Amino acid sequence: MIKLQVILLLLAITIIGAVLRFTNLTNNPPSLNIDEVAYGYSAYSILKTGKDENGKFMPIAFRSIGDYKSPVLIYSLVPSIALFGLNEFGVRFTTVLAGVLSIPLIFLLINILTHNFKISLVGAAFLSTSPWHIYYSRFASDHMMGTFFLMLGFIFFHKLLAGFKVWLPAAIFLAASMYSYHSHRLFIPLFIGSVLIFNHRIIRPPNIKAFLAIFIVLILPLIFLTLFGPLNTRAQMVFLSQDIDYTRYVILDHIEKSGENSLLFFFWAKRYLNYFQPDFLFFNGLNMTSPGTLGLGVLHLFEFPLLVLGIIHLIQKKSNFKKLIILWILIGLVPASVTNNEQSAGRSLLILPALVVVISLGTIYFFKIVKNLSNIFLKTAVLGLLTLLTFISLVHAFLVFSVYFPNERGEAFMEGTKETVLYALENKDKYREIVFDPYRGIEAQNIVNIPYMYVLFYSQYDPVKFQTEQKENQGEIFKFDKFVFRRIDWRQDRLKRGILFVGSPWSLPLQDIREEEILKKIYLTNGNLALLVVSPHPD
Amino acid sequence: MKHIPKIDKFFLSLNLFLISIHILFLALLIKTLYPIHFMEENLFFFDLLSKPLHIPYWLIIICTNINILSLSFIGKLIWGSREWVILPALYVLNPWTPYLASLNSFYIYLASLILIMILGFIFIKSTNHWIGAVISIFAGVLLLYSSLIIFIIFPLMVIGIIILRLFSKNEIKKLSFWIILFCVPLFMAIFKNSVGWENIYRNEVTILSEEGFLNDVNKFQGQAQKRGFRLLSKVAENRYVYFAKYASLKIIKNLTPATYFTPQEKLASFSFSPPIFLGFILPFLFGLYSLLKSTQSAKFLGLSLILIIPSLLSKQIVDLNRLVIFSPIIFYAISYGLINLYRSKKFSFRIILFLTIILVFIQMFVTISDIYLRETIRFDKTSGINFEIK
């Protein structure tokens, strides 16, 4: 029986978590990124027509911008967009809600493992203030949805292992997690398989058989799409062997074919162990500040000693969940490490609940050790040091979220594209054609913007019209209605009349444009000029 | 650990075999990588006298072979039976030390002296006082004359030994007296040439002159103050906090397994060879766990952390060249793990041991062929035509 005091504490922790996730949601991150507008418009299209923007009826894999997005987030966005409209809040609401609900969920998860309210509340508090969790809650992210369903599925799966007949919810939620994000598709089968192998003596077969049967039936379409459908192409595209560091630095652009597969294996091992590096864990894993600076890791720095103590506690003490947690962390990093990114906080988010369990155990262990210290001075010093470290870490995290991140990473969220699109939509009738250059960037023109999605999103373009109208798609040129998406060549384009051009100063060089031709300049939060809206007046 | 170990035929022949393997590996590396080499480092004392003198390449090659013998002795003193061979074998088989020796690394020479000193300490701990004392004093004095960084960390080592009570006060007094006595010319050179001392210090200790992090602090503070968080930024983003974080990052990174068992930190700034083969990671973790259970071993491991200080004082976050003086400690933990795994009758431990051996052999083959086929091109791609690595 849960005490009222515990419920009130959990409620307070959840409210704190909600405040941290909902505050200034529409402006921080400073803009919707490409994936968010794509999710939003696909959901809008499903809401209005039952088909995605490409005219496919209720797809399991959304072609979207060519990256075959997972369906769970898009379908779960439909009610949110119906309720709040196709805007920033409507798109971000579902993820942030999943983020907030994860807080009581981690309480339940830890409680079924440890049967200890204290540890469970500590875990809920850690998740509530976790920079990793807050960051991925604050924008539409399928990583968060996948992890939410994974936690839910794990709770029922653990109950199932304990002998309860909960095979249906366990199978449904774990399958939902697999439909939510790519990493979970590899992780969940590996995890279930390993848990069943390691616990084969204590598991009751009838329950497991029913669970496995339903689970396999539920994920059959996914298996088919992964093996024979478009998801296979995506998997190949993001596989480790396509990694730029591997191809350029390790195998030197296939200079010598022999031994490449073995090198790939050791390259993978390097990537895998990289996820245990301190810079990822405590200093810069979230990439919320400029590269090279000490920003924010996926965990707070003050959690380092607690994590170490938690690991020691987990190894030393006999507990029935020890193997589960260790397997969760070790297998959880496999999917992220076989893809082509140095360290991806999103792809590895699924291990966060397991890490929270370890850190919570470490915290209780820490206070136990401190309590047993006989030297008052030492006791005060240790507690004081941890308090100071906690305070500094939390203040730093607050500053990163509220100041440095919008200042330094606006471009990663395509800051400014919304303003250009809104301007173009307002003035659409004045021009016979509106040209968007998809490339932008402050240091170099190295970011692909996919502005047509922003046009669809902010104009709330009729999905029926978009699905059925004639569109031109030739190589790097994409055209519908009055909108053209192509590279701008100012030497040629400056001679054209009645056309509105939107692009970065790289394609619209300021020194070659007269002041009266510039209709709008868009700046990033940090003051850098990001985009220009220009209409040429040839002499 | 009561007497000097007997140098029997088996000991000699195995060492000869290990040295032959080591020389073969070195030959392959030299043949492939020549003329790539580390920038020569002058001996501290001669630098102070403005008469630059560096360790010649042939001496580095001799030192790396002396290291094998020292490790064999240390292994024999610790384990006695035939298991001692694992410790020098790890030195020979893993790419770290042969790689640095083939590139003329000064730190191989320092590692030799440190190993000889450790050997001396172990002798002192056994009954053979005078041999141990002579060896320790000889190596200690040479170390102090050779490197400023060792000169800086040496007092820390002595303090650590005193605090952890690894030796009796009497033994420490005697050793310190003789070392200080032999170092009188060095102290005089330092007092006479304070400008030279400052220059050498500035070259060797680069962490404190790191301007990058001061720029970061100013940038963060500026942004926060613009948004009205002046007080918060002063508390959380000042230079002391930032430096403490940077130092913590360096310390943790210098102790992370990925640094030692994967090519995450590039050997000589370009190689894809890991310092230690990945297969040894499980025996290492197992060995470390077993060692930490014993108070005496934990004390020794704690003290040995002083050896990562040279890497911490480097400009790079992890400097594998400087960190090589810490390599014997890692090899010791691996040996301990391997021996415990071998002695255990548990089936799971046997499986781990089997997998370790298989993985190490596969990686050894892959690494050697990779060195032969790609390393020079890799160097060209990263460092261009300058063959000197700084």
Side-chain angles (χ1 to χ4, degrees), chain B residues 132-150:
Chain B
V134 169
I135 290 175
S136 305
I137 292 164
F138 167 74
V141 170
L142 268 183
L143 272 170
L144 289 168
Y145 273 82
S146 301
S147 159
L148 168 95
I149 291 177
I150 300 291

Side-chain angles (χ1 to χ4, degrees), chain B residues 75-100:
Chain B
K76 205 159 169 61
L77 281 163
I78 296 171
W79 288 292
S81 58
R82 294 183 175 197
E83 288 154 345
W84 61 263
V85 78
I86 294 173
L87 189 57
L90 288 171
Y91 182 94
V92 170
L93 291 176
N94 287 295
W96 196 357
T97 37
Y99 226 99
L100 295 187

Side-chain angles (χ1 to χ4, degrees), chain A residues 359-376:
Chain A
I359 293 168
S360 311
L361 290 171
T363 309
I364 300 296
Y365 188 41
F366 169 79
F367 283 106
K368 216 173 175 180
I369 293 170
V370 172
K371 206 178 164 186
N372 290 336
L373 285 176
S374 51
N375 186 329
I376 296 280

Side-chain angles (χ1 to χ4, degrees), chain B residues 281-299:
Chain B
I281 192 166
L282 283 180
F284 167 74
L285 293 173
F286 185 67
L288 192 66
Y289 179 68
S290 315
L291 282 168
L292 288 175
K293 276 183 184 168
S294 136
T295 322
Q296 194 69 8
S297 305
K299 275 183 185 176

